[in-house]
Amino acid sequence: MSLASDIVVVGKIGAPYGVKGWVKINSYTQTPEGIFEYLPWFLGEKNEYQIDQWRTHGKGLVAKIVGVDNRDDAERIKNLDINISASQLPDLGDDGIYWRELTGMKVVTTQGYDLGVVKEVFNTGANDVVHVKANVGDAFGQKERLIPFVFDDVVQEVDREAKVIKVDWDPGF
């Protein structure tokens, strides 16, 4: 893992669980158990870790990490982000796109107006939303726009190579 953009945070190490080096796992993956499909993990200063065992515990997950053999070892990795290399993520093909790929893309309307650049993507519960930072001197006086990332209704095209998202959106909104 050489570049920050190559790193994807998929979870966080929680509190120690017991005295034999087990830790609680806070997973950010779509299904919590899915976090164990992405090994090895990189914790802290890019140290690589493998999982010896894992299991569900109540509504959460606990794991025994190779080289973490007692409660003191578990305390040392507590609260560290669980990182993986972006190359470990499955290829979504032409039908899907990761949020991380959208960040930094230019957003233009179907009429060709440049709305700005995607600053971040988040989920509202109903749908994903792209937070677009407007260009300096935006003709509509906007500093930012929140645009629903809904294919066909709003998003017409995502060109990965050109890094452009084409949307059907009123630039004054």
Side-chain angles (χ1 to χ4, degrees):
M1 297 195 314
S2 58
L3 299 172
S5 62
D6 292 338
I7 298 170
V8 178
V9 179
V10 294
K12 187 171 224 157
I13 300 292
Y17 175 74
V19 295
K20 296 183 178 178
W22 286 73
V23 290
K24 294 180 180 177
I25 303 295
N26 300 307
S27 175
Y28 305 152
T29 56
Q30 191 166 19
T31 58
E33 298 84 5
I35 195 168
F36 298 107
E37 296 174 11
Y38 305 108
L39 296 173
W41 290 349
F42 298 92
L43 307 176
E45 298 296 319
K46 300 179 182 172
N47 295 318
E48 185 176 314
Y49 289 88
Q50 293 288 338
I51 301 301
D52 185 28
Q53 303 173 51
W54 69 270
R55 65 177 183 245
T56 58
H57 177 71
K59 293 182 179 177
L61 301 168
V62 293
K64 172 72 177 79
I65 299 173
V66 174
V68 179
D69 299 321
N70 56 52
R71 191 171 184 90
D72 290 337
D73 291 345
E75 282 287 345
R76 278 192 274 282
I77 63 170
K78 179 178 160 185
N79 294 324
L80 292 179
D81 285 334
I82 300 169
N83 302 306
I84 64 168
S85 170
S87 64
Q88 293 174 260
L89 296 172
D91 182 14
L92 298 178
D94 293 334
D95 296 333
I97 190 163
Y98 288 108
W99 285 6
R100 59 187 298 279
E101 295 177 83
L102 298 174
T103 304
M105 283 189 168
K106 186 166 137 180
V107 181
V108 297
T109 66
T110 51
Q111 290 79 34
Y113 185 78
D114 184 351
L115 297 173
V117 175
V118 176
K119 185 176 176 185
E120 66 178 331
V121 184
F122 57 93
N123 186 285
T124 62
N127 55 268
D128 296 337
V129 172
V130 290
H131 177 192
V132 178
K133 181 178 180 194
N135 296 314
V136 175
D138 184 88
F140 295 89
Q142 301 291 323
K143 292 185 178 181
E144 61 183 21
R145 293 176 174 91
L146 299 176
I147 301 173
F149 195 76
V150 179
F151 273 96
D152 299 327
D153 288 339
V154 178
V155 177
Q156 304 301 308
E157 179 183 355
V158 176
D159 185 339
R160 285 181 163 142
E161 290 188 27
K163 295 192 175 286
V164 174
I165 303 170
K166 188 177 285 185
V167 296
D168 183 10
W169 192 255
D170 179 359
F173 186 66

